[in-house]
Amino acid sequence: MLSLRKHWFSLVRLCDVLHVAGRRSRSSGVNVKYDYDLIVIGGGSGGLACSKEASQLGKKVAVLDFVSSSPKGNAWGLGGTCVNVGCIPKKLMHQASLLGQSVKDASHYGWNVQGDTIDHSWESLVMSIQNHIKSLNFGHRVQLKEKNVEYYNAKGSFVDSHTVLARHENGDEVSLSAEHIVIAVGGRPHYPTNVQGSHEHGITSDDLFFYSKPPGKTLVIGGSYVALECAGILAGLGCPAHLMIRSHPLKAFDRDMVNLVMSSLRGHGVQILSHCEPQSIERGSNGRLDVVWRDEASQTCRDQFDTVLFATGRQASTWALELPRVGVAMDTPTGKVLVDERDTTSVDNIHAIGDAAYGRWELTPVAVKAGKLLARRLFEGSNVLMNYETVPTTVFTPLEFASVGLSEEEAVSRYGNERVEVYHAFYRPLEYYLPHRDSSQCYIKMVCEAVDTERVLGLHLLGPNAGEVLQGFSTAINAGLTRDQLHGTIGIHPTCAEEVVRLHITKSSGADPTLTAC
């Protein structure tokens, strides 16, 4: 299948080359002089990284970025999903929810916390987050100017394979040409079409971080990491949160870890509605939302909520680019652009990175790295490709879940059960002891190739600050870390990260993996 796709790519590219060559030969007989060496359509993390890297290599670069409002009327500035409605506001809200738990723990550490009631101001939190985001928007514009990247606050669409039409909000249009064009438009959440009233009454993560008042009792629909994170954050901030999942949550992740993540969410107060499908949403006479759904027994259920948040997937923001006009191949259901291992589309001088590219991780650091490497390949002669195989990531649920490499299921599928060994442990963070917090979901799993020195194929961690812990280990795994090397490493005591280097109990042994304190 991959071979056929490569041959198809080659055929389409040959046609494009012949088209461009014909167009040039019909001109004055000289090579076309382009306005820019590179045009990047999309001002998110990947597009900005690619444009700035190309500019640093001495190329003339332009960036086009325009954010269409969400159905609820929310729009934002330069920086893409991560800065405005993704990683940054999410992590800040995650931190806010963790602080609520810390305040509850404080009395066990000798702090005199008056009373049992902890008040939280949603309005103050949102204002602080939005002020920070605006400073980041401004900072991105300053950086582009400092690096001599021309910025157009305009929508872009293809005229031909080397020409983009930039449309400003006031209706002004300008035609721009470039030797290379990068599609980095990212994606936006989508509403399910089979749920009556979803557009009229539902919101998405594009809206949550702009909410001017507490969302109250909230139904989060979806099983993605965005859904789980939003549900956990809302519960931590005192909003009754319900999470409705049609099939399985976090499908791409290790099943043991996911089951523990869900158990942890329940422990933090999130009500889980498993194997349920929403049917309709209506505004009741009392102003609240009447939601009807079917449960796993096909029974009709209903309840009232103040807010319904859809986190049921995203689609690439490619609809306005006119890609069929220039022959760029796409995956129709998702709107994503098909690319090869060099992030090049079916048209040789058009490339795609980030969330708009098919088969790529929808993660900011992935887009940033891919953008920089692409610029170096185009303008510096580099042949270094992006490694999409061993990518670390963290799900910022109340108890964080970090992962890098293969899940146990993926490893067994790839190598066979007899060539996979799993080391695992349940552990108790020291900071949980005094407040007697539940640590039954704090778990580590290391997946190894069961030959010779046992190369580490995957590492998965559920616990406090899991993302911070796993970052360093991901570097080692990319460098070929073995179980022997890990076991020979001295741990930093007393930390959660120390428990990783202490792993010694195999899953196949059937021994109790619960670790005891020193």
Side-chain angles (χ1 to χ4, degrees):
M1 188 70 179
L2 182 60
S3 177
L4 288 173
R5 179 177 160 185
K6 286 183 176 180
H7 286 308
W8 186 86
F9 264 41
S10 299
L11 179 61
V12 174
R13 286 180 184 168
L14 176 61
C15 292
D16 184 66
V17 169
L18 293 174
H19 169 73
V20 173
R23 180 166 60 86
R24 289 182 176 179
S25 66
R26 289 191 296 272
S27 64
S28 59
V30 297
N31 288 335
V32 175
K33 180 175 175 60
Y34 300 114
D35 301 320
Y36 298 95
D37 298 298
L38 175 69
I39 291 176
V40 177
I41 307 176
S45 302
L48 293 176
C50 184
S51 64
K52 289 185 286 188
E53 189 72 15
S55 180
Q56 293 295 99
L57 294 173
K59 300 303 176 181
K60 188 177 181 182
V61 183
V63 168
L64 280 65
D65 185 70
F66 184 89
V67 180
S68 299
S69 297
S70 74
K72 301 304 177 186
N74 294 310
W76 46 87
L78 186 63
T81 297
C82 174
V83 166
N84 295 282
V85 289
C87 313
I88 300 302
K90 172 195 70 182
K91 181 66 182 296
L92 292 173
M93 282 198 169
H94 172 66
Q95 174 65 11
S97 69
L98 294 183
L99 285 173
Q101 180 64 56
S102 296
V103 173
K104 295 175 184 176
D105 291 348
S107 62
H108 298 281
Y109 284 90
W111 289 97
N112 184 17
V113 180
Q114 299 295 328
D116 296 328
T117 301
I118 302 174
D119 292 325
H120 177 265
S121 172
W122 174 276
E123 295 82 357
S124 295
L125 174 61
V126 170
M127 182 182 296
S128 296
I129 290 174
Q130 289 302 319
N131 286 340
H132 177 62
I133 289 172
K134 288 174 184 176
S135 72
L136 296 178
N137 297 149
F138 178 75
H140 281 306
R141 297 188 69 162
V142 170
Q143 285 182 14
L144 290 181
K145 189 173 184 62
E146 289 176 345
K147 296 184 183 300
N148 298 314
V149 176
E150 293 193 44
Y151 167 58
Y152 294 84
N153 184 210
K155 293 182 179 180
S157 61
F158 282 90
V159 176
D160 60 41
S161 59
H162 288 275
T163 309
V164 171
L165 183 66
R167 294 185 180 89
H168 293 272
E169 190 172 17
N170 62 5
D172 291 346
E173 297 180 347
V174 59
S175 182
L176 309 171
S177 63
E179 180 182 3
H180 290 279
I181 299 173
V182 172
I183 300 167
V185 293
R188 299 289 289 270
H190 73 83
Y191 289 85
T193 57
N194 61 341
V195 180
Q196 181 182 342
S198 60
H199 279 81
E200 295 86 345
H201 305 300
I203 68 168
T204 70
S205 55
D206 278 1
D207 308 302
L208 179 64
F209 305 115
F210 294 92
Y211 240 49
S212 59
K213 61 180 181 179
K217 181 182 177 181
T218 302
L219 175 64
V220 180
I221 300 175
S224 67
Y225 68 92
V226 175
L228 273 60
E229 289 172 338
C230 288
I233 287 169
L234 292 173
L237 295 178
C239 298
H242 292 64
L243 179 63
M244 182 180 292
I245 303 173
R246 183 181 61 182
S247 55
H248 300 288
L250 301 177
K251 292 180 181 178
F253 292 88
D254 187 278
R255 287 296 95 196
D256 285 340
M257 305 304 298
V258 172
N259 290 336
L260 288 168
V261 169
M262 299 307 292
S263 177
S264 173
L265 280 173
R266 290 187 183 94
H268 279 83
V270 177
Q271 302 295 312
I272 310 294
L273 302 171
S274 298
H275 303 290
C276 296
E277 286 200 61
Q279 303 295 305
S280 65
I281 307 171
E282 294 181 354
R283 180 75 64 183
S285 58
N286 60 358
R288 304 186 77 195
L289 298 175
D290 294 315
V291 180
V292 176
W293 70 91
R294 291 188 185 277
D295 64 14
E296 57 185 330
S298 296
Q299 299 294 313
T300 298
C301 307
R302 64 179 68 240
D303 197 357
Q304 286 195 328
F305 299 90
D306 300 300
T307 304
V308 176
L309 189 156
F310 286 97
T312 50
R314 300 173 67 86
Q315 287 187 316
S317 301
T318 54
W319 59 272
L321 295 181
E322 301 288 356
L323 295 180
R325 176 182 292 169
V326 292
V328 171
M330 301 169 63
D331 176 67
T332 303
T334 63
K336 295 194 174 193
V337 180
L338 301 180
V339 291
D340 62 13
E341 69 279 0
R342 298 180 67 84
D343 299 319
T344 300
T345 72
S346 53
V347 180
D348 201 45
N349 70 293
I350 300 176
H351 319 272
I353 57 174
D355 294 5
Y358 183 76
R360 304 308 195 209
W361 285 84
E362 295 183 358
L363 298 170
T364 293
V366 172
V368 169
K369 188 70 173 180
K372 290 181 178 180
L373 292 177
L374 175 59
R376 293 168 192 168
R377 289 196 299 272
L378 294 179
F379 303 118
E380 197 180 39
S382 170
N383 286 311
V384 177
L385 300 178
M386 175 67 189
N387 175 16
Y388 290 103
E389 179 73 16
T390 312
V391 174
T393 186
T394 298
V395 183
F396 288 100
T397 39
L399 190 64
E400 293 181 12
F401 167 39
S403 174
V404 62
L406 300 181
S407 67
E408 181 179 352
E409 293 81 9
E410 290 171 325
V412 169
S413 175
R414 185 176 300 189
Y415 295 97
N417 192 63
E418 69 284 352
R419 290 187 59 193
V420 173
E421 186 65 272
V422 174
Y423 293 85
H424 66 152
F426 285 95
Y427 67 101
R428 190 171 189 183
L430 180 63
E431 54 266 42
Y432 279 24
Y433 276 85
L434 297 188
H436 306 289
R437 286 179 60 181
D438 178 26
S439 62
S440 58
Q441 292 91 30
C442 294
Y443 180 65
I444 309 169
K445 175 188 279 193
M446 182 172 66
V447 182
C448 297
E449 187 177 10
V451 292
D452 301 328
T453 55
E454 295 185 305
R455 179 169 61 96
V456 178
L457 303 173
L459 184 60
H460 314 276
L461 172 64
L462 188 57
N465 303 301
E468 304 288 352
V469 172
L470 206 68
Q471 181 66 77
F473 288 110
S474 69
T475 301
I477 291 172
N478 270 301
L481 176 70
T482 66
R483 192 261 171 178
D484 288 347
Q485 291 171 332
L486 189 71
H487 196 61
T489 301
I490 301 299
I492 300 174
H493 186 69
T495 65
C496 294
E498 175 189 25
E499 306 300 348
V500 177
V501 302
R502 293 179 60 197
L503 287 171
H504 65 281
I505 301 170
T506 62
K507 198 174 184 182
S508 60
S509 71
D512 183 2
T514 304
L515 300 179
T516 57
C518 64

